[in-house]
């Protein structure tokens, strides 16, 4: 049975082994013993004594007792947490650093700890190691950095009414290059756009799981997943083409990643729902007081989410209607959000919306209570900042169900179909009494008796894989490209 404590895992085992090893060395030197002398006393080779003194072996009780006897001390004295010399503390810290994952990730050879290595040199190495650790921890703070980046990006979108004129222009030029005459962009035209940009399309069954598509610029190929063949592939393909057109480099941080994703999705959406066709269509619908996200979806043959995003792009700049948009998980947690109509989203102390739980009386939550999921859901909600009208729909994804909602102030609801809805709720959030605190009777009845098990979202704890801001497995991507390039060369 080993004597080293195991209460905190391998790091503490390492610390005990190193500390005890240094204490054994100190006692040996005090008694003017060589490693050979101590080795003979415990019936071990001198090399094994060095291993023990360097903390590279965990000692068992019997070995510790023999060492204590050979050094003329007690087992308790050998194990007691007496302070070590400054030099021993530095050597232990350097040894621990070299055994850690950060030092190993640098690909450096182990640095022999000799007396010729000065205290100052060890301190410098340790400070550099600590600074590298601090920077890695800062970069690995994925949730915190993502929240800050989301908050900044949402503020930028609000300032420009979520309208990117330069991307609308790029979309119009691309559509003009293939002779698109207005209306929905067909799958045939999508393929023609790929060919115009110099790419052929290939559907494969071995696309790496961390990717939606792979663009091989060297061979002018775009690889798409085989299992989606026969369905609407426009979205994934247009996102790949948009990223190529925008010339986006590898993102350096989460701000870059989110900005690039927004721009790529915007350009793809502007190709599927061209401004030149969408604005007249929406203007006519507004004049008839028949604005509808569902109609926009059906007219351009896109997903509800694409139609909702596209509506927020065009509504304020071309229709004069401020709006808000949310994507909310069935648990009530906000996944995406945008507003320029002064609706008050729940936020954390830093102003971040994503990850917060929306009021249960909002349309985004109430839509989950309705069995009929084909009929458009409309709702009026009286909020502390005024009354808002909202339309919501539910979509399914691999990670659950989400509600997609587009809303506006009550005064602007007159332009929308469903404005006469009789569904009306009252929300007093952020007042905790609205929906964040249980009824006093329920709280009293269940206090100390209810112990739910949380479904923890792993993304709250996990950083992006080391070396990649996007989380894409680069090794798998390069292996994929090598494999297909080899097949291409053979043919």
């Amino acid at each position: 049975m080993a004597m080293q404590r195991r209460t905190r895992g391998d790091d503490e085992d390492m610390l005990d082994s190193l500390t005890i090893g240094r204490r054994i060395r100190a006692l040996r030197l005090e008694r003017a013993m060589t490693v050979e002398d101590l080795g003979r006393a415990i019936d071990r080779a001198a090399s094994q004594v060095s291993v023990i003194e360097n903390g590279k072996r965990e000692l068992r009780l019997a070995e510790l007792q023999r060492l204590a006897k050979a050094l003329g001390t007690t087992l308790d004295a050998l194990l007691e947490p007496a302070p070590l010399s400054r030099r021993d503390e530095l050597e232990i810290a350097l040894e621990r650093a070299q055994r850690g994952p950060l030092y190993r990730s640098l690909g450096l050879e182990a640095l022999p700890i000799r007396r010729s290595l000065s205290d100052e040199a060890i301190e410098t190495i340790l400070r550099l190691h600590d600074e590298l650790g601090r920077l890695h921890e800062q970069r690995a703070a994925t949730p915190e950095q993502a929240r800050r980046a989301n908050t900044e990006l949402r503020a930028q979108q609000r300032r420009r009414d979520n309208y990117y004129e330069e991307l609308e222009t790029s979309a119009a030029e691309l559509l003009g290059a293939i002779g698109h005459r207005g209306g929905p962009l067909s799958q045939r035209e999508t393929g023609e756009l790929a060919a115009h940009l110099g790419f052929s399309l290939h559907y494969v069954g071995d696309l790496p799981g961390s990717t939606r598509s792979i663009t091989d610029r060297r061979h002018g190929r775009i690889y798409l997943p085989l299992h989606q063949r026969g369905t609407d592939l426009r979205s994934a393909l247009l996102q790949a083409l948009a990223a190529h057109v925008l010339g986006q480099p590898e993102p350096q941080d989460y701000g870059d990643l989110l900005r690039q994703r927004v721009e790529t999705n915007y350009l793809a959406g502007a190709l599927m729902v061209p401004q030149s066709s969408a604005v007249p269509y929406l203007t006519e619908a507004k004049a008839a007081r028949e604005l509808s996200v569902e109609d926009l979806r059906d007219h351009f043959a896109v997903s509800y989410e694409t139609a909702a995003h596209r509506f927020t792009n065009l509504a304020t700049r071309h229709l004069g209607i401020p709006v808000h948009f949310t994507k909310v998980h069935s648990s009530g947690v906000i996944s995406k959000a945008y507003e320029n109509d002064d609706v008050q989203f729940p936020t954390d102390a830093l102003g971040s919306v994503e990850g917060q739980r929306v009021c249960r009386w909002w349309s985004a939550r109430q839509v989950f209570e309705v069995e009929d999921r084909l009929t458009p859901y409309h709702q009026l909600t009286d909020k502390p900042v005024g009354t808002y009208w909202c339309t919501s729909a539910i979509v399914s994804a691999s990670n659950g169900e989400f509600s997609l909602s587009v809303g506006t102030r009550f005064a602007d609801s007159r332009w929308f179909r469903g404005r006469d809805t009789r569904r009306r709720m009252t929300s007093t959030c952020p007042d905790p009494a609205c929906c964040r605190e249980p009824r006093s009777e329920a709280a009293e009845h269940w206090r100390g008796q209810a112990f739910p098990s949380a479904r923890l979202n792993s993304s709250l704890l996990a950083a992006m894989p080391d070396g990649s801001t996007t989380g894409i497995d680069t090794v798998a991507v390069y292996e994929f490209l090598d494999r297909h390039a080899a097949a291409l060369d053979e043919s």
Side-chain angles (χ1 to χ4, degrees), residues 367-374:
V367 68
F368 288 105
E369 304 297 323
V370 179
E371 292 185 6
D372 180 3
R373 297 194 172 182
L374 289 178

Side-chain angles (χ1 to χ4, degrees), residues 89-120:
E89 290 177 349
L90 287 172
E91 290 185 3
I92 288 173
L94 182 54
E95 185 66 33
R96 290 192 71 200
Q98 292 190 85
R99 294 184 187 183
L102 174 59
Y103 191 97
R104 290 198 300 267
S105 72
L106 300 175
L108 299 175
E109 294 291 333
L111 180 67
I113 303 177
R114 301 190 178 97
R115 285 294 167 182
S116 57
L117 188 64
S118 68
D119 291 2
E120 292 76 14

Side-chain angles (χ1 to χ4, degrees), residues 436-456:
R436 299 178 186 277
E437 293 180 347
R439 293 179 295 105
S440 57
E441 314 91 79
E444 183 63 28
H445 180 72
W446 290 108
R447 186 174 292 115
Q449 301 299 318
F451 297 92
S453 178
R455 185 188 295 274
L456 188 61

Side-chain angles (χ1 to χ4, degrees), residues 357-370:
R357 199 178 301 278
V358 77
C359 177
R360 67 181 303 182
W361 305 118
W362 283 26
S363 174
R365 296 281 297 278
Q366 287 294 304
V367 68
F368 288 105
E369 304 297 323
V370 179

Side-chain angles (χ1 to χ4, degrees), residues 138-386:
Q138 186 181 66
R139 291 172 183 170
T142 307
E144 177 61 25
Q145 289 194 24
R147 284 195 294 270
R148 290 181 182 274
N150 261 321
T151 301
E152 293 173 3
L153 182 59
R154 196 173 62 252
Q156 294 171 9
Q157 290 174 302
R158 190 182 197 279
R159 286 194 294 270
R160 62 193 304 168
D161 294 326
N162 204 23
Y163 182 77
Y164 292 68
E165 186 172 4
E166 67 280 12
L167 297 180
E168 299 286 356
T169 300
S170 295
E173 292 173 351
L174 289 169
L175 292 172
I178 60 170
H180 178 69
R181 298 182 179 180
L185 182 70
S186 67
Q187 289 199 21
R188 175 185 58 79
E189 289 176 311
T190 306
E192 290 176 357
L193 182 58
H196 168 72
L197 293 172
F199 292 102
S200 59
L201 307 181
H202 303 270
Y203 303 93
V204 295
D206 60 340
L207 203 67
S210 61
T211 65
R212 290 177 294 181
S213 66
I214 293 180
T215 301
D216 178 357
R217 294 182 181 176
R218 176 169 293 164
H219 298 98
R221 295 180 140 215
I222 293 179
Y223 295 97
L224 296 162
L226 180 63
H227 66 272
Q228 292 185 15
R229 193 170 189 176
T231 62
D232 184 2
L233 284 170
R234 290 179 305 167
S235 180
L237 174 55
L238 288 173
Q239 286 171 353
L241 294 176
H244 170 72
V245 169
L246 294 172
Q248 294 173 338
E250 176 74 14
Q252 298 302 304
D253 54 36
Y254 297 107
D256 280 350
L257 175 64
L258 293 174
R259 178 183 53 78
Q260 289 181 9
R261 182 166 296 176
V262 164
E263 292 177 354
T264 296
N265 290 341
Y266 191 110
L267 182 53
L271 290 167
M272 285 191 286
V273 185
Q275 176 179 253
S276 60
S277 301
V279 170
Y281 176 81
L282 292 172
T283 301
E284 183 178 344
K286 180 187 177 185
R289 301 195 176 201
E290 289 290 322
L291 284 174
S292 167
V293 176
E294 288 81 11
D295 286 358
L296 186 65
R297 173 199 63 191
D298 296 341
H299 185 76
F300 287 93
V302 294
S303 69
Y304 189 94
E305 186 165 0
T306 296
H309 281 163
R310 202 68 185 113
F311 186 82
T312 67
N313 297 151
L314 304 172
T316 304
R317 185 64 60 93
H318 292 284
L319 305 177
I321 305 175
V323 293
H324 67 267
F325 165 84
T326 59
K327 182 175 183 179
V328 175
H329 188 262
S330 57
S331 63
V333 173
I334 297 176
S335 173
K336 297 179 183 178
Y338 163 77
E339 64 81 21
N340 68 347
D341 60 357
D342 297 321
V343 70
Q344 288 187 354
F345 292 134
T347 66
D348 63 14
L350 299 176
S352 178
V353 170
E354 289 73 16
Q356 301 304 302
R357 199 178 301 278
V358 77
C359 177
R360 67 181 303 182
W361 305 118
W362 283 26
S363 174
R365 296 281 297 278
Q366 287 294 304
V367 68
F368 288 105
E369 304 297 323
V370 179
E371 292 185 6
D372 180 3
R373 297 194 172 182
L374 289 178
T375 304
Y377 181 87
H378 310 300
Q379 178 181 310
L380 291 168
T381 310
D382 297 317
K383 304 174 182 179
V385 291

